[in-house]
Amino acid sequence: MKRKFTGLTAIGLSAAMLVVQPLSVYADEDSDIAYIQSQQDETNSDLADLENQITDLENQKQAITDQIDSYNSQLVTTIASINSLDDQITQQEADIKQTVQDLKNAQQKQNQQKEGISKRIKYLYEEGDNGGWASLLLSDANLGLVMNGEADVQSLYNYDRDELASYTETTNQIEQLKQQELDQKSSLEVMKKEQEAGKAQLEDLLSQAQAQSDDYDQQISNANDLAAQYQALIEEQNQKIAELEQQKAEKEAAAKAAAEAAAKAAAETKQAVSTQQAASTGSGTTSGTASTGSGSGSASNTSTANNTASNNTASSTGSNASTSGNTSTDSGSSSVSYDASTGAQIVAYGEQFIGNPYVWGGNSLTNGCDCSGFVQQVFLHFGISLPRTSYAMASSGTAVSYSEAQPGDIIVYPGHVGIYIGGGQIVNAANEQLGICISNATHQTIQTVRRLV
């Protein structure tokens, strides 16, 4: 009758708990949040099923408790009946004992009466004289009363017959009473045996019901413990969702700030180019005017004006080229300094942890870490501090283009980060299945390349 649900539910809970494990296989926080929420829906459904099971178990426990109360009530009544039958049997045995004594006394008197009759017959019919009558009257006071002094033979016969019939009837009645009491005792003993059998059956039923009640108590306790674990899991899922939403908000804020900064820089660059072009145009016009004013008939002046205009044009072009170079530097330029020795050491240090496990939120290069934890700990080994999340690392160091990436640079993707090792590859903590490994640098859309050495 025991319901074997606990083991299956526990297995379901163990599976559900996996949602709090690493989720970096997803590209962004929205995917992680959606996945955890789907798992949380399943957890809530499992919890509701478990609560229904608890209610069902409590109802069954109440039913068996009512049955136990009924058995106890019947047992009390049965025990009282057995005690009453014991009292009746004891009284019946006492009555039988008294009846046996009464029967013994009656039989003794009957024997005495027979002896008296025999004696009278002997005296009257064998002796047949007056001395016999006198002896009879003197030996039996009752006979004297009956005879009343009358030597009536017929009356004596009648007396003896009546006395004998009376004692015979009394003896028969006592014998019947004895048999009746024996029958009653036997009936009471049968009733007692039936009651004792009923009592034993009730005690057995009560024992089984109590064992079943204890089993329900254990199942209810196990189910309540499991429900508490579900509640804790739901709270943990809520906390994880809140963390991901916070990361998403921070990432969006950082992206917004970066976009605003880029727009501001572009505006400033545009303004600087406009200013330089205006200055260049003004310088050329002045030079041309001066050349013309010196006289068109002078070959020397004409040559000077032409040279001046040519120089001004070159200067303007150089200015534009310089501005263009500044813009390229903002998005990634070869003019950014790079320490090849340190970069090579960073790559070598990171590669020695290949094969170690991926753990969401982990910071151990040996026991497990996630993508940003891996990059942070590798650079920290060389005294370089980095933020903990990939979207925060997107603003660290100096930006360079992917075509100019060097070993030791970090490549940031949406929701992921790795260390560039050269040859179009990165070393990174990829996911639970791959752990720390080497991946293609362009396996995702590259958000930015950052140089720190």
Side-chain angles (χ1 to χ4, degrees), residues 168 333 342:
T168 299
S333 171
T342 303

Side-chain angles (χ1 to χ4, degrees), residues 319-390:
S319 176
N320 289 337
S322 175
T323 302
S324 176
N326 290 335
T327 303
S328 175
T329 300
D330 290 339
S331 61
S333 171
S334 58
S335 63
V336 177
S337 64
Y338 170 69
D339 185 341
S341 175
T342 303
Q345 292 177 44
I346 289 172
V347 170
Y349 182 72
E351 287 180 335
Q352 69 177 322
F353 300 106
I354 291 174
N356 289 345
Y358 176 101
V359 175
W360 173 274
N363 293 303
S364 173
L365 293 172
T366 55
N367 297 327
C369 58
D370 57 15
C371 62
S372 55
F374 171 73
V375 174
Q376 183 191 53
Q377 293 302 311
V378 168
F379 275 83
L380 187 61
H381 179 74
F382 295 92
I384 301 173
S385 297
L386 286 175
R388 183 58 181 80
T389 61
S390 59

